Amino acid sequence: QVQLVESGGGSVQAGGSLRLSCAASGRTFSRYAMGWFRQAPGKEREFVAAISWGGGSTYYADSVKGRFTISRDNAKNTVYLQMNSLKPEDTAVYYCAANPGGNYYRRIDYIYWGQGTQVTVSS
């Protein structure tokens, strides 16, 4: 079992930056690919970014490519999402999740989820 706790959310003006962190419990963190999803009010939860278990491969939604960077530190059991050039449409609750080996883009392939952290971008 893996427990995930996100942090780093907050309010920022358009063009600003935030760095989200997701701390995982348990000794099996490095066995999972990790992903970030987000959900805006009234919308479906959508894929943002994912990273393979070793950190060698990363994947991004088109809407964040070139602005967001996902990384992980397996020694610290932590995954990060660096968000630059933020836009009002990035406003959402951001969730991290653990994937044991399924499709990185599909929400249903993630089996552990954090509680989320709010990101608000004002224009």
Side-chain angles (χ1 to χ4, degrees), residues 57-121:
S57 297
T58 56
Y59 309 85
Y60 297 94
D62 288 342
S63 59
V64 307
K65 204 170 292 183
R67 300 188 298 122
F68 290 12
T69 302
I70 188 171
S71 61
R72 68 188 296 164
D73 186 338
N74 286 343
K76 295 182 178 179
N77 279 12
T78 303
V79 62
Y80 305 97
L81 186 68
Q82 176 67 44
M83 306 186 295
N84 298 329
S85 301
L86 282 161
K87 304 175 181 180
E89 51 264 44
D90 294 319
T91 295
V93 177
Y94 283 71
Y95 299 89
C96 71
N99 186 324
N103 186 307
Y104 293 167
Y105 295 92
R106 291 196 313 187
R107 186 178 64 186
I108 62 172
D109 287 330
Y110 289 79
I111 61 173
Y112 299 116
W113 291 83
Q115 293 301 304
T117 184
Q118 176 71 46
V119 171
T120 303
V121 184

Side-chain angles (χ1 to χ4, degrees), residues 17-85:
S17 298
L18 283 173
R19 188 194 197 201
L20 305 184
S21 299
C22 173
S25 65
R27 294 176 291 177
T28 59
F29 173 74
S30 62
R31 298 181 185 176
Y32 295 90
M34 298 297 296
W36 286 95
F37 286 73
R38 66 187 182 187
Q39 187 166 17
K43 294 188 176 182
E44 295 280 322
R45 192 171 299 188
E46 64 175 5
F47 171 80
V48 174
I51 187 167
S52 59
W53 65 270
S57 297
T58 56
Y59 309 85
Y60 297 94
D62 288 342
S63 59
V64 307
K65 204 170 292 183
R67 300 188 298 122
F68 290 12
T69 302
I70 188 171
S71 61
R72 68 188 296 164
D73 186 338
N74 286 343
K76 295 182 178 179
N77 279 12
T78 303
V79 62
Y80 305 97
L81 186 68
Q82 176 67 44
M83 306 186 295
N84 298 329
S85 301

